[in-house]
Amino acid sequence: MDSKAAGAADRATHESLLMRTNWTDTLWSLRISRPADFRFEPGHYARLGLEQPDGSVLWRPYSIVSAPDDAALEFLVVRVAGGPFTQQLDQLAIGQPVLLDPAAYGFFIARQLLPGGTLWMLATGTGLGPYVSLLRTPGALHAFARVILVHSVRHRDDLAYRTEIEQAVASAPQGLTYIPVVTRDTVPGLPSARIPALIADGSLQDMAGVALTPDSSRVMVCGHPDFTADMRRLLGERGFTPCRRASPGSMLFEKYW
Ligand SMILES: NC(=O)c1ccc[n+]([C@@H]2O[C@H](COP(=O)([O-])OP(=O)(O)OC[C@H]3O[C@@H](n4cnc5c(N)ncnc54)[C@H](OP(=O)(O)O)[C@@H]3O)[C@@H](O)[C@H]2O)c1
């Protein structure tokens, strides 16, 4: 157990599963009870714990999908093949216990970016989660003139929260653009190449109708570790600057697993 997890076990609060939404057989959202004093910002992650038969606790970090004013905490979960935590989580029935580390963690916070211009929110898979939290939080994106949300998934059914996002677009038609990308099915009207390739050949910028330059754009990148590495390289070559604790930048990353 790492030191963070050891501390978490001491401080953990006992929560319970309130609700589950299945997107596919292996992709689902969970809502758990939330302690009144649990504080977070969109982009933070929480640590969930599951008790094991030997009395130990298995901990995993999950980005928070819900907004800070939501009475519950919501998470987007993909079942990891052979992964003990998500297999156990998959079996959890409504009302059963989940441990919660009472602190929220992370630096994937939009205000770390320079304000203004177009915000590109790029996600693969469950990396969508922090952006849903941002969209659900009134005022969280007011620093930006336009927002482009790009979500890349393997199959059409993996487009979690699609209806909710499309409703958000409809209520903010000028300010928010949603571009789903499906890489392993052919879906008429949707791109099927990976995000870095779509940026490299300019087709993502054409779809959004806006350029992707360090002067005019801020970029958040969340998801598969190879994706975040590829995007760091691509954006760095184009002159984007990373966010530092003391100085805002034009690109910000959250790497999963
Ligand atoms: N250990 C963990 O904590 C953890 C967490 C989440 C997921 N996972 C693993 O990932 C598996 C699948 O998750 P998922 O369905 O979300 O799939 P995924 O493999 O992350 O794919 C989601 C999207 O990302 C794209 N992608 C993958 N690598 C990329 C790269 N280097 N650059 C750009 N785009 C890239 C995929 O394109 P392609 O179709 O072209 O690959 C797909 O469109 C899970 O079953 C699990 O094993 C593990």
Side-chain angles (χ1 to χ4, degrees):
M1 189 189 284
D2 62 30
S3 56
K4 200 185 266 182
D10 295 340
R11 301 186 304 267
T13 64
H14 293 254
E15 307 306 325
S16 62
L17 180 63
L18 301 177
M19 191 177 151
R20 172 175 171 147
T21 303
N22 292 327
W23 306 104
T24 70
D25 288 349
T26 56
L27 181 70
W28 66 94
S29 292
L30 296 179
R31 285 172 67 79
I32 69 164
S33 56
R34 172 183 176 179
D37 57 355
F38 184 91
R39 299 269 172 269
F40 70 96
E41 286 188 57
H44 274 146
Y45 65 88
R47 294 174 66 83
L48 302 183
L50 292 174
E51 280 194 13
Q52 303 303 297
D54 66 0
S56 65
V57 177
L58 207 51
W59 290 97
R60 292 288 184 271
Y62 280 96
S63 289
I64 304 169
V65 175
S66 40
D69 65 356
D70 194 323
L73 290 172
E74 187 169 323
F75 305 95
L76 177 59
V77 180
V78 66
R79 191 166 69 210
V80 177
F85 191 88
T86 55
Q87 275 179 24
Q88 196 177 338
L89 207 53
D90 199 7
Q91 301 301 316
L92 213 63
I94 302 297
Q96 284 193 312
V98 185
L99 293 171
L100 175 72
D101 179 342
Y105 297 96
F107 301 99
F108 196 62
I109 305 293
R111 64 181 161 70
Q112 296 217 69
L113 289 159
L114 291 159
T118 300
L119 176 66
W120 293 76
M121 304 194 298
L122 309 180
T124 62
T126 53
L128 178 73
Y131 304 139
V132 175
S133 180
L134 276 165
L135 293 179
R136 288 178 173 182
T137 305
L141 296 169
H142 279 177
F144 308 100
R146 265 195 79 180
V147 177
I148 318 285
L149 170 59
V150 186
H151 186 204
S152 176
V153 297
R154 294 180 181 184
H155 303 289
R156 179 206 301 247
D157 290 349
D158 299 330
L159 288 171
Y161 298 99
R162 184 176 186 177
T163 303
E164 178 177 335
I165 296 166
E166 287 173 346
Q167 284 166 355
V169 170
S171 60
Q174 305 304 319
L176 175 62
T177 301
Y178 171 50
I179 304 177
V181 175
V182 179
T183 46
R184 300 191 191 187
D185 292 334
T186 302
V187 182
L190 299 190
S192 59
R194 288 178 166 186
I195 292 173
L198 292 170
I199 290 174
D201 72 7
S203 49
L204 199 62
Q205 299 88 312
D206 289 345
M207 279 178 259
V210 62
L212 178 63
T213 66
D215 289 344
S216 66
S217 313
R218 320 287 171 237
V219 187
M220 298 177 79
V221 179
C222 186
H224 194 294
D226 294 340
F227 164 63
T228 59
D230 289 351
M231 286 305 305
R232 193 184 292 274
R233 201 175 314 112
L234 190 157
L235 294 171
E237 286 167 4
R238 291 180 179 219
F240 285 80
T241 53
C243 298
R244 306 274 180 228
R245 223 177 259 259
S247 62
S250 49
M251 58 178 178
L252 187 60
F253 298 87
E254 184 79 296
K255 185 176 77 169
Y256 277 12
W257 80 97

